[in-house]
Amino acid sequence: MAEREQRAGYPLAPANGYARSDEETGRSLSDEERRQKRKKWALYIIAFVIFQTGVIVFFSMTVMKFRTPKFRVRPATSFDTFDVQSSSFNLRMNAQLGVKNTNFGPYKYGNSTIYFSYRGTQVGSAIIPKSKANFRRTKKVNVAVDLIAPTNLANNSELASDINSGILPLTSTSRLTGKIEIMFIFKKKRSVNMNCTMDLNISAKQLQNIKCK
């Protein structure tokens, strides 16, 4: 009788052992899957943070960066009056200026004045009206200016020599003061100076060799 009970009990022990083993295996796999998921989420979060950081850095280095516009005389210039004598000149010049804005927002500037000089002596000036250069654009400004040799240059041998050579060296100076506005929120004051040298070709009646700093 005891032998039968003992025999009858033998199959039960292994069955319980297998059941416990399956449960432990399942629990172990479940823990491993959770660890793998946590690792994946951690990698996703790290990748997202790196991506966002890259976007912010790129945005701040390009779109949000304030750049000083460039202001210069353009070669597209014509003359309404062109009277050049042996030791004097009287010119009515239609000068075209350019305000180059490389920012991702408009540059608004106030009224200003441009001055033209011959070898350090001022020979003309013109008012530059307030306006704006749109983002990533060059604003073209047309101004009419009278260039007249003052009386103190009448006996200047250097002027006579320049006119005789056919080239009249000129300089232009000006300053614009305004604000750059990005995304209608961020604003910054910017002033830009013009300092250009150029040659007036008397026979061709045009400006040449324009160089601006």
Side-chain angles (χ1 to χ4, degrees):
M1 191 71 177
E3 214 173 306
R4 287 181 186 174
E5 290 176 359
Q6 200 172 10
R7 285 179 188 168
Y10 285 155
L12 296 175
N16 291 338
Y18 291 142
R20 283 195 300 272
S21 179
D22 291 342
E23 289 176 5
E24 290 173 358
T25 302
R27 193 180 301 113
S28 177
L29 289 173
S30 180
D31 291 343
E32 183 63 27
E33 287 175 357
R34 281 196 291 269
R35 279 195 296 271
Q36 290 298 328
K37 284 183 179 179
R38 282 196 293 269
K39 286 182 181 179
K40 285 182 179 179
W41 278 110
L43 289 174
Y44 291 153
I45 292 171
I46 292 170
F48 179 74
V49 170
I50 292 173
F51 174 75
Q52 287 292 93
T53 303
V55 170
I56 292 170
V57 171
F58 174 78
F59 197 77
S60 63
M61 293 295 290
T62 54
V63 178
M64 296 303 299
K65 186 175 181 180
F66 290 91
R67 302 172 179 85
T68 301
K70 295 180 179 179
F71 184 33
R72 58 190 59 197
V73 175
R74 295 171 59 88
T77 301
S78 62
F79 294 88
D80 291 336
T81 302
F82 201 93
D83 181 18
V84 179
Q85 302 299 324
S86 59
S87 58
S88 67
F89 57 84
N90 186 346
L91 314 171
R92 175 78 170 181
M93 181 172 69
N94 299 308
Q96 187 176 88
L97 317 177
V99 183
K100 186 177 181 180
N101 178 25
T102 58
N103 292 282
F104 285 86
Y107 174 61
K108 299 178 182 179
Y109 55 89
N111 294 326
S112 186
T113 305
I114 182 171
Y115 302 94
F116 286 87
S117 301
Y118 164 76
R119 296 195 181 279
T121 300
Q122 184 178 316
V123 294
S125 65
I127 299 296
I128 301 171
K130 67 178 181 179
S131 187
K132 71 173 181 177
N134 289 322
F135 74 98
R136 311 286 295 176
R137 293 290 184 274
T138 297
K139 170 72 175 179
K140 297 175 183 177
V141 182
N142 296 309
V143 295
V145 54
D146 292 316
L147 304 178
I148 301 172
T151 54
N152 63 326
L153 290 179
N155 298 319
N156 190 311
S157 61
E158 199 168 29
L159 174 60
S161 176
D162 288 333
I163 291 175
N164 187 53
S165 69
I167 298 294
L168 202 63
L170 299 173
T171 60
S172 66
T173 57
S174 185
R175 179 181 177 87
L176 294 180
T177 301
K179 287 182 180 180
I180 300 168
E181 186 178 282
I182 295 178
M183 297 178 66
F184 305 103
I185 301 173
F186 306 100
K187 298 179 181 180
K188 197 163 189 177
K189 290 183 178 180
R190 274 287 190 271
S191 295
V192 52
N193 295 318
M194 173 198 284
N195 189 357
C196 300
T197 62
M198 64 207 77
D199 293 331
L200 172 59
N201 189 314
I202 297 173
S203 60
K205 297 183 180 181
Q206 61 180 332
L207 295 179
Q208 299 175 339
N209 303 322
I210 301 173
K211 297 177 182 179
C212 299
K213 296 179 181 179

